Amino acid sequence: MAAGGEGLMRRWIRGFGLLYLCIRGPRLYRVYRVNGRAAIGRGRPMQEGDAESSWESFYQPKALEKHTDSILAWVSVLWTISYYSSPLAAFYMYRKGFMTVSRLIPLTQYGLTLMFLLAGIACLRGFGRWSNPQYIQFISILQRTKMDECPENKKMLSNFNFDFRSWPVDFRWDETSSKDHQKLGLPGGVPLLKAEPRTRGAADSFFQRVQKLPCQITSYVVAHSFGRRMLYPGSVYLLQKALMPMLLQGQARLVEEYNGKRAKLLACDGNEIDTMFVDRRGSSDRSGSKLVICCEGNAGFYEVGCVATPLEAGYSVLGWNHPGFAGSTGVPFPQNEANAMDAVVQYAVYRLGFKLQDIIVYAWSIGGFTATWASMSYPDLSAIILDASFDDLVPLALKVMPESWRGLVTRTVRKYLNLNNAEQLCRYQGPILLIRRTKDEIITTTNPEDIASNRGNDLLLSLLQHRYPNVMTEEGRAAVRMWLSVATPEEEASVLSHYGVEEDWCLSVLASYKAENLGQYPWSVGEEMSTEGRQQLALYLAQKYLSSFEATHCTPLPAGAFQMPWSI
């Protein structure tokens, strides 16, 4: 009798423990399918009461959980809207006389009552989950994985798509012993390029620093409020909420069709980075031995972003989300971006087992910042491909802001949002390919039809000027600008014909120089060359480093347009 009572007590305790976990547990979105069957059935024997057919791929909540979850989701959206509108609301309340103790006490009572109601709704949602065998199995596996992060438990947990905040960390930035200890000592994270320090005589006096303080405060407020959100709209919660069904579908495609492996990386600043890895090393395609790390745009996510291009081309792919995007935490300021990229490269090398010489970094649009940072920080990378990217953020920021804000915009970007792609890219010695969209409406400073204002042109010119300074004289730059001002292959060929570009001669000159020198950029080739020779060589190099693609900024790049960069 005592033994039976003890067993009943154990079951009661276990039941209440599961109920507590269900109340506090994450939202479950999907149960992945593999080979047409739901993955939830794998890893355990069929039990009495299980359905003959596999469960639906999307998680099917019971009515109680479904309705309470919907209420909490709407409250979350309203809270976000209230957060953004709070300054206006506070100003309105002040004008109406609500900022008094007699008025604030009832408002506080209403707020506390609402909090108790929401807590009750959360408990009801927990009861709904408690009665659902799908959720019970999921929460049991999650709890077991938190206690023992063995490969078997993690493999079973990867069968579910749930709120990524509860996903255990798979790789830490400090796991490897080969890290540069000087880099780790920096309080802000990995090093970024900084402006040259001013000489001692040029330092501001105390009075000048006080005068500049209001401008500095304004720049800080602009950057940390609407500035960052305008630059990275993908970090806005409401946009992510609207895109959630599309992101879930994209994740399911990567996992179920490509056998993708999701992982959480911990960067040196404490941000958690959401990644997805597709391994093609066992395929018959030789491209699978190369890993393409994809850096998305300012409203791009790996679930629906540029990872599709190298996937279709047969490469192994590692996608990741910017800090503050989808499953990644933090905010996407340049320092956090670089910290995240550092963790991604370290993960690719020390956990996934790729050599730097087998890693290609492919970036679209604003992802060019992290790609060029990686090229600067990891010079042994195989190649860099920048699609629809730009040289510097300041001209593009000035394009969308009032002319009267020019000083404020320039100061804010340089101080807090400095995406100096060209400066970083010039530190890299390896193969580079720039892809320019001929109808790009985002990175042109006038209009999409004016291809000469595409900032990808300036990125190319900066790169060529750094690598081949004697070729890119005034005449050489003029010839390249003429070539960049045309949009069709026929017009490009006409410019090359006008300058009489002989590809065999250009290639022989470059190959001869490389054979006789160490090959480190910048090269002195063209030092004693005629003006016509420099122009030919400049145009030859321009067409090798830049490929034009007739499309707008957001048009997906087809696999056929994804090519390896040129190198001698």
Side-chain angles (χ1 to χ4, degrees):
M1 186 75 174
E6 186 178 346
L8 181 62
M9 180 65 68
R10 242 190 249 112
R11 286 197 295 272
W12 271 94
I13 293 174
R14 182 175 180 274
F16 278 112
L18 277 175
L19 177 59
Y20 175 74
L21 291 176
C22 289
I23 293 173
R24 294 188 67 251
R27 186 177 181 181
L28 178 60
Y29 297 114
R30 192 179 185 106
V31 181
Y32 289 127
R33 289 180 177 272
V34 177
N35 299 325
R37 294 197 59 190
I40 197 169
R42 306 195 319 272
R44 66 170 177 86
M46 186 71 80
Q47 298 176 3
E48 184 178 354
D50 284 349
E52 290 287 332
S53 59
S54 59
W55 278 321
E56 291 295 329
S57 185
F58 275 104
Y59 170 61
Q60 302 296 316
K62 298 293 181 68
L64 182 59
E65 179 187 356
K66 181 178 179 180
H67 295 310
T68 52
D69 214 7
S70 178
I71 293 172
L72 293 174
W74 273 107
V75 170
S76 177
V77 170
L78 293 174
W79 172 257
T80 303
I81 295 174
S82 302
Y83 172 80
Y84 288 124
S85 61
S86 57
L88 294 176
F91 179 73
Y92 175 81
M93 291 175 66
Y94 174 77
R95 291 293 301 271
K96 293 295 183 180
F98 286 102
M99 292 297 191
T100 60
V101 175
S102 60
R103 295 291 185 91
L104 288 177
I105 289 178
L107 290 177
T108 304
Q109 293 174 339
Y110 295 148
L112 291 174
T113 303
L114 179 61
M115 289 178 61
F116 280 116
L117 285 175
L118 292 177
I121 292 172
C123 291
L124 289 175
R125 183 179 63 176
F127 276 108
R129 292 171 172 176
W130 192 47
S131 63
N132 192 326
Q134 286 179 287
Y135 195 90
I136 289 296
Q137 185 179 17
F138 155 70
I139 200 66
S140 300
I141 293 174
L142 176 61
Q143 192 65 17
R144 192 158 64 243
T145 305
K146 288 182 176 180
M147 297 174 64
D148 180 13
E149 295 187 13
C150 64
E152 181 182 355
N153 286 340
K154 282 197 171 183
K155 184 177 180 181
M156 294 179 66
L157 188 64
S158 66
N159 295 329
F160 303 91
N161 186 356
F162 54 96
D163 189 341
F164 202 63
R165 288 174 293 183
S166 299
W167 191 284
V169 172
D170 297 283
F171 179 82
R172 295 177 54 90
W173 64 282
D174 56 356
E175 281 188 18
T176 60
S177 59
S178 62
K179 279 270 197 174
D180 184 350
H181 66 279
Q182 294 179 347
K183 183 193 297 185
L184 299 183
L186 294 174
V190 298
L192 297 178
L193 286 180
K194 301 294 184 182
E196 292 293 331
R198 293 185 297 175
T199 59
R200 189 171 182 178
D204 291 335
S205 66
F206 174 76
F207 181 69
Q208 288 173 322
R209 289 198 296 268
V210 171
Q211 281 184 317
K212 292 180 178 180
L213 189 59
C215 295
Q216 292 173 349
I217 293 174
T218 303
S219 293
Y220 180 88
V221 172
V222 168
H224 288 77
S225 56
F226 67 87
R228 186 258 299 173
R229 291 173 176 84
M230 285 181 64
L231 186 59
Y232 288 96
S235 64
V236 177
Y237 172 77
L238 294 178
L239 177 62
Q240 293 184 34
K241 198 73 176 176
L243 294 176
M244 183 60 73
M246 189 185 305
L247 299 181
L248 293 177
Q249 194 65 34
Q251 271 187 14
R253 178 173 174 267
L254 291 170
V255 171
E256 297 175 352
E257 296 183 20
Y258 294 98
N259 197 28
K261 299 294 187 296
R262 198 178 185 190
K264 177 185 284 188
L265 316 184
L266 184 66
C268 60
D269 51 15
N271 288 336
E272 297 171 346
I273 308 304
D274 183 7
T275 68
M276 181 70 74
F277 170 57
V278 176
D279 194 353
R280 296 280 185 77
R281 283 174 288 190
S283 66
S284 57
D285 194 336
R286 288 169 51 188
S287 301
S289 61
K290 291 276 190 179
L291 175 68
V292 178
I293 297 179
C294 296
C295 304
E296 299 291 345
N298 64 357
F301 304 81
Y302 72 69
E303 292 90 341
V304 292
C306 65
V307 298
T309 299
L311 272 179
E312 292 175 7
Y315 291 89
S316 295
V317 174
L318 176 59
W320 62 282
N321 282 329
H322 297 281
F325 282 52
S328 297
T329 63
V331 289
F333 281 105
Q335 184 65 66
N336 296 347
E337 288 275 286
N339 295 341
M341 187 63 182
D342 184 61
V344 170
V345 175
Q346 293 289 327
Y347 173 67
V349 173
Y350 294 102
R351 181 60 61 85
L352 302 180
F354 286 91
K355 297 179 180 178
L356 285 173
Q357 295 82 354
D358 293 327
I359 297 177
I360 302 160
V361 179
Y362 168 51
W364 172 60
S365 190
I366 210 170
F369 173 75
T370 47
T372 55
W373 179 89
S375 70
M376 174 185 70
S377 305
Y378 294 92
D380 293 330
L381 287 169
S382 176
I384 305 296
I385 302 175
L386 302 180
D387 178 14
S389 197
F390 51 88
D391 62 325
D392 186 36
L393 181 62
V394 170
L396 298 175
L398 292 174
K399 164 191 168 182
V400 298
M401 301 302 289
E403 178 63 26
S404 58
W405 288 28
R406 173 176 287 271
L408 174 63
V409 170
T410 303
R411 184 169 52 249
T412 302
V413 170
R414 288 282 178 255
K415 177 70 174 177
Y416 300 104
L417 303 167
N418 192 26
L419 306 186
N420 48 346
N421 296 347
E423 189 180 2
Q424 293 185 149
L425 188 63
C426 289
R427 305 294 182 97
Y428 178 59
Q429 295 284 326
I432 296 170
L433 175 64
L434 308 179
I435 301 174
R436 181 184 64 165
R437 309 296 185 95
T438 59
K439 298 179 180 179
D440 201 313
E441 73 282 12
I442 301 298
I443 65 168
T444 48
T445 53
T446 55
N447 57 75
E449 288 73 27
D450 183 15
I451 195 171
S453 69
N454 189 305
R455 296 305 299 188
N457 301 339
D458 300 88
L459 182 58
L460 173 68
L461 289 167
S462 298
L463 178 63
L464 294 180
Q465 184 69 50
H466 169 76
R467 291 192 167 191
Y468 313 98
N470 294 322
V471 174
M472 296 300 292
T473 59
E474 184 178 347
E475 296 82 3
R477 288 197 300 272
V480 173
R481 284 195 179 277
M482 179 180 289
W483 181 77
L484 290 170
S485 65
V486 299
T488 65
E490 294 77 17
E491 292 173 326
E492 291 179 357
S494 176
V495 174
L496 297 178
S497 176
H498 172 74
Y499 283 95
V501 177
E502 298 179 13
E503 295 198 359
D504 292 338
W505 176 79
C506 294
L507 182 59
S508 66
V509 169
L510 295 171
S512 175
Y513 177 88
K514 185 176 181 180
E516 297 173 2
N517 297 272
L518 295 176
Q520 291 290 309
Y521 299 109
W523 286 8
S524 61
V525 62
E527 194 170 14
E528 299 178 355
M529 194 175 289
S530 66
T531 299
E532 292 77 11
R534 289 193 182 106
Q535 289 176 328
Q536 284 192 53
L537 203 53
L539 287 169
Y540 176 80
L541 291 166
Q543 65 169 333
K544 291 299 182 182
Y545 278 97
L546 184 137
S547 174
S548 293
F549 176 53
E550 186 177 359
T552 59
H553 188 77
C554 297
T555 303
L557 187 72
F562 188 84
Q563 53 184 305
M564 287 301 97
W566 167 81
S567 62
I568 300 176

